[in-house]
Amino acid sequence: QAPVTNVTKTSLRAEPDRIVVGCDQFPQTIFLEAEVTTDGPAYVTWRWEASTGAASDNVILVFETAGKQVINDYYQIGAPNEYWVKLHITTPSEIVKQVNIPVSCRP
């Protein structure tokens, strides 16, 4: 039987991680960077989920050997609020990483 490969490390960050702008300066863009590391060859299935109810389709990262891959994306913010974005890995094991993004404006 083939050995089981696992996701051994994940990280997620947003840039900027806080927004304070004039109330007439929306939309704003948040850039997301996630790192996924496995201990061997694997098909890693993942998706984005957001506090607004938005979710991406499932995406598969192919790892031919153990190592790290980086996922880059962006998310648009349309108004002040307390937002979060999650990286949800569903296979080969379930892992969820979340970043919180407070957004406020001044007149």
Side-chain angles (χ1 to χ4, degrees):
Q1 216 174 16
V4 175
T5 299
N6 293 298
V7 173
T8 57
K9 184 178 177 187
T10 58
S11 66
L12 175 60
R13 69 181 191 90
E15 185 64 40
D17 59 0
R18 169 182 300 278
I19 294 177
V20 179
V21 295
C23 293
D24 61 348
Q25 295 180 302
F26 288 97
Q28 292 287 312
T29 302
I30 301 291
F31 295 94
L32 302 168
E33 181 177 277
E35 293 181 355
V36 179
T37 305
T38 65
D39 59 4
Y43 292 104
V44 175
T45 305
W46 65 273
R47 70 177 172 266
W48 296 117
E49 298 171 352
S51 55
T52 59
S56 70
D57 292 334
N58 285 338
V59 179
I60 297 175
L61 275 179
V62 178
F63 286 80
E64 293 184 10
T65 62
K68 175 175 71 174
Q69 292 193 41
V70 176
I71 303 165
N72 288 297
D73 210 341
Y74 68 92
Y75 182 70
Q76 281 216 296
I77 303 293
N81 206 339
E82 296 288 325
Y83 294 92
W84 54 259
V85 176
K86 293 179 182 179
L87 170 68
H88 189 162
I89 296 173
T90 57
T91 61
S93 50
E94 188 152 1
I95 299 169
V96 177
K97 290 290 182 176
Q98 176 176 315
V99 291
N100 297 313
I101 309 148
V103 178
S104 59
C105 71
R106 56 186 180 280

